Amino acid sequence: MVVTNNATMAREIRMLRDWGQDRKYHHVVKGFNYRMEGLQGGILRVKLRHLEDWTEARRTRAAEYDRLLLGSGVGVPVEASYARHVYHVYAVRTPDRASLQRTLQANGIGTGIHYPVPVHLQPAYADPAYGPGDFPESERAANEVLSLPMFPELSFTHVELISAAVKQEAYVV
């Protein structure tokens, strides 16, 4: 715990404990993520018992998204042959993310944009050797990725409704 009446120091400490962010997804210094309390640890210990079941539930929902979005024109996550994806998020890709997000929002479907600024363009990780255009795939992904609802309790009916909303417009990957 840190206690201070110095506003500048308080701001810096808050940034350090939140990955160096001065606002969401804007990293200005190299920071950390050390915010777990004992109570959180106790709760997580209980939740850990359910981790495998929750992972399998997300994997099942992801497989259903994959099936329903086949041929829709959106890029879906690909599971590497040597790995087991846990689908913490189910992120699709489309060159017109804003339009897809508006369509989903109009259908009452929430979405997320994760990592909208590539690491090499974050002030905290700035390197004079790299700038805009040096990692085009990272930059393209930052502009195209949209996360659809994903959680273990997501019903298959909702997966169908979300997928139908995604397919309302023609998208080209």
Side-chain angles (χ1 to χ4, degrees):
M1 178 190 305
V2 177
V3 178
T4 182
N5 62 358
N6 181 316
T8 302
M9 184 180 290
R11 180 180 178 273
E12 290 174 8
I13 291 168
R14 280 190 201 99
M15 285 191 305
L16 286 172
R17 62 116 194 193
D18 192 22
W19 293 114
Q21 298 182 99
D22 69 344
R23 62 185 185 275
K24 190 167 184 151
Y25 297 120
H26 185 78
H27 304 263
V28 295
V29 298
K30 293 178 183 172
F32 312 95
N33 189 14
Y34 301 136
R35 295 175 280 166
M36 186 180 295
E37 301 170 357
L39 181 60
Q40 289 175 312
I43 292 168
L44 289 175
R45 183 175 176 207
V46 172
K47 291 177 78 171
L48 189 58
R49 297 177 198 142
H50 303 283
L51 183 60
E52 186 58 32
D53 291 339
W54 291 338
T55 296
E56 282 308 310
R58 285 192 310 276
R59 287 177 54 80
T60 302
R61 273 94 184 141
E64 187 68 0
Y65 269 134
D66 289 348
R67 185 183 73 76
L68 293 169
L69 294 175
L70 187 66
S72 68
V74 297
V76 298
V78 176
E79 184 171 327
S81 62
Y82 57 84
R84 181 171 172 255
H85 203 312
V86 298
Y87 296 97
H88 172 67
V89 296
Y90 188 89
V92 297
R93 286 182 73 162
T94 178
D96 193 0
R97 175 176 64 199
S99 178
L100 177 56
Q101 192 172 36
R102 280 191 303 274
T103 297
L104 294 172
Q105 186 176 21
N107 283 276
I109 300 165
T111 58
I113 297 175
H114 291 86
Y115 312 107
V117 180
V119 172
H120 71 288
L121 298 179
Q122 294 282 354
Y125 299 96
D127 184 318
Y130 303 111
D134 287 330
F135 297 96
E137 286 303 310
S138 294
E139 293 172 36
R140 190 164 67 100
N143 290 314
E144 293 180 354
V145 172
L146 184 67
S147 297
L148 302 181
M150 173 55 78
F151 51 94
E153 298 83 9
L154 182 65
S155 74
F156 288 104
T157 300
H158 283 114
V159 172
E160 289 174 3
L161 292 170
I162 294 162
S163 299
V166 169
K167 295 190 292 190
Q168 280 184 5
E169 298 181 37
Y171 294 98
V172 179
V173 177

